[in-house]
Amino acid sequence: FYCDQEYDIAGVTITCTGTHYEQTFEQALSNSCNCAFAQIAVMLGQDTMVDYVTRYGFLDKQELSGISTVAGSYPTEFVGDPELAWSGIGQSTDLVCPYTMLRFLCAVANGGELVEPSLILSEDAPKSTPYMEPATADRLKQMMNFNVVDHYNGEENFPGLRLCAKTGTAELGDGNSHAWFVGFLADDKHPYAFVTLIERGGYGLSTAGPIANEVLQWAVENIQPEK
């Protein structure tokens, strides 16, 4: 995929925060490249995009220990390629509940199998269901670790953590953005998934990233793994 900071789709200019030139899919994910993911969404087509956001539960209300969460949003009716492109980078009418994102991350970390989170652990075996193909989960896991190593300066910003993560900057249309930093530890002794969301916090790595690091460092140091 090619990024020259701008990409034209049917007369509409998609803008990017950087100029990334030629890049692989893995590099585009690490770069959070708007131009690449706009192209990818249009290549896949709206029907395929809707199929996947539906399949992974992003449009549904979920339930956490009996508490109902908010449903998500994605353009399911025909919108044309320019709007589809914006949806592919998380703009347009896209909305996602942090808890829904957490379920997705848990499945990626667990080889494609979703173990439903709960507020309080019980003696009952947690519900486990197939969520995505194991090969897809493993590839996402590798790419999320590449993000940390290649783009997030992992050794300095997240020392000692075997981190797989992705930043997010959700633009609100008024010059402000929600800052996201999501991921999990690829560590059998500390199998923690997380979603950090700072409302109107700006950029994910600089705002949400340090908070996630502080919580994860505490958890690794203070929470003893089950035997």
Side-chain angles (χ1 to χ4, degrees):
F1 302 96
Y2 190 80
C3 169
D4 195 16
Q5 203 166 19
E6 292 184 350
Y7 185 75
D8 184 88
I9 297 179
V12 175
T13 299
I14 306 296
T15 57
C16 190
T17 57
T19 304
H20 304 116
Y21 302 110
E22 189 173 286
Q23 57 194 327
T24 64
F25 182 93
E26 184 175 51
Q27 291 168 331
L29 183 68
S30 177
N31 292 330
S32 296
C33 179
N34 289 353
C35 292
F37 281 93
Q39 296 173 60
I40 290 167
V42 173
M43 289 171 60
L44 291 174
Q46 190 168 359
D47 289 345
T48 299
M49 294 291 290
V50 171
D51 176 47
Y52 275 98
V53 297
T54 303
R55 186 184 307 183
Y56 291 143
F58 285 109
L59 303 185
D60 300 330
K61 291 183 178 181
Q62 306 296 338
E63 188 173 287
L64 173 60
S65 298
I67 301 171
S68 181
T69 67
V70 177
S73 173
Y74 187 82
T76 56
E77 302 298 328
F78 177 77
V79 292
D81 284 351
E83 190 69 11
L84 177 61
W86 282 116
S87 78
I89 60 176
Q91 303 301 326
S92 183
T93 59
D94 295 8
L95 293 173
V96 62
C97 176
Y99 177 66
T100 303
M101 182 63 74
L102 182 64
R103 293 174 78 248
F104 179 85
L105 295 162
C106 288
V108 175
N110 203 39
E113 194 80 6
L114 173 61
V115 178
E116 291 285 352
S118 60
L119 286 176
I120 301 175
L121 292 177
S122 69
E123 295 181 357
D124 297 331
K127 180 182 177 183
S128 177
T129 55
Y131 184 86
M132 68 174 62
E133 291 292 331
T136 301
D138 289 344
R139 189 73 182 100
L140 280 169
K141 184 175 182 179
Q142 292 170 15
M143 290 192 293
M144 292 175 70
N145 179 251
F146 178 79
N147 294 342
V148 176
V149 174
D150 176 69
H151 210 75
Y152 303 161
N153 198 7
E155 291 187 4
E156 179 178 337
N157 292 326
F158 310 99
L161 298 179
R162 298 176 59 186
L163 186 64
C164 302
K166 182 69 187 81
T167 59
T169 304
E171 298 175 14
L172 302 178
D174 61 0
N176 294 298
S177 300
H178 294 330
W180 289 74
F181 192 72
V182 307
F184 53 88
L185 296 183
D187 182 347
D188 290 339
K189 293 183 178 180
H190 307 284
Y192 308 137
F194 65 91
V195 171
T196 309
L197 169 61
I198 311 301
E199 293 184 347
R200 299 180 179 272
Y203 290 99
L205 183 61
S206 58
T207 305
I211 295 173
N213 176 66
E214 186 171 343
V215 173
L216 290 170
Q217 296 287 357
W218 183 92
V220 168
E221 182 176 346
N222 292 280
I223 301 177
Q224 298 299 319
E226 295 183 4
K227 295 182 180 180

